[in-house]
Amino acid sequence: MIIQRVVLNSRPGKNGVPVAENFRLEESTIADTVQAGQVRVKTLYLSVDPYMRCRMNEDTGSDYLQPWQLSEVADGGGIGVVEESKHDNLAKGDFVTSFTWPWQTVAILDGSLLQKLVPQLVNGRLSYFLGAAGITGLTALLGIREKGHVAVGANQTMVVSGAAGACGSLAGQIGRLEGCSRVVGIAGTDEKCSILVQEMGFDAAINYKKGDVAKQLRELCPGGVDVYFDNVGGDISDTVISQMNQNSHIILCGQISQYNKDVPYPPPLPPDIEKIQKERNITRERFLVLNYMDKQEASVLQLCQWIQEGKLKVRETVVEGLANIGAAFQSMMNGGNIGKQIVLVSK
């Protein structure tokens, strides 16, 4: 069977900026027959995520991420529909997902590595299982619960950087649902800031490309910062940390401002900021959602319930066509999307 697939065409280098041309669309073939335990699936949606920048390097800098190989098919979170099955628990027409879905139009996969989806849990919006009801939502929810130490009635202020992105836009809302009394987002355009406040219930949002961020933070968080959901690292995080309270907490989710630099993860703080962190006893521990998969099922059900009740607003930036996944990746790394970046492969 002839299919289309996307392979890694070139590496941007550890300090390079990814471009669409780092990926290549090509034709390939898969077997015409499905073996015992396998299923043939048609790809519907693929997820494009910041962590994938690390997979473009020969050394990902992480023991849990495998590098993409040159001229080999890329992979990540994906959703598809079963076209043929020789697996006991999967039938034709089932919707399934995997963290390691190949970037190709049709694939033959091991059925035991797939998770069956229930579209009704997300009001039929299957792509949500790659975002708000998937690994992105789990990262936001479990990050807050495991590392944020949020308590109802504690009058805590949360700041979220990269707040208009896939994880940040959910984290701010979840912080409020979990008990934060004030939530402030940091984003890169006036449009994003407006969406955060008017649509997603943030108390305020700062456009870090305009004005004095430190001054705006002091005005919007007069009692200091108790919880910081950090998606970006770098100068913005240094500014937030300098205004954090005694015994406060950093949820170290991502460091996208550092992904195109050859630095360890998590990147070390500048000496003056590290001094503040230690003197104020601010926790800053690496957070990996895969370490909490025993809580996945209950957490997904909680996320789905909030979605059904309208308490969790979901934004997606959808790009159509497998051929455009490289451009979608470049746009996402440049901060061009609001919410989750999804590629619609087939309707």
Side-chain angles (χ1 to χ4, degrees), residues 79-92:
I79 290 173
V81 60
V82 176
E83 294 187 323
E84 182 182 352
S85 175
K86 288 190 178 178
H87 188 277
D88 291 342
N89 297 327
L90 296 173
K92 182 178 179 180

Side-chain angles (χ1 to χ4, degrees), residues 18-32:
V19 294
E21 290 74 23
N22 291 134
F23 300 95
R24 182 177 77 246
L25 180 72
E26 63 180 27
E27 282 194 346
S28 185
T29 59
I30 60 171
D32 292 324

Side-chain angles (χ1 to χ4, degrees), residues 272-284:
D272 56 330
I273 302 300
E274 184 178 18
K275 182 180 179 182
I276 290 173
Q277 181 208 346
K278 290 180 177 178
E279 288 178 346
R280 299 179 190 173
N281 193 35
I282 302 169
T283 63
R284 183 180 184 255

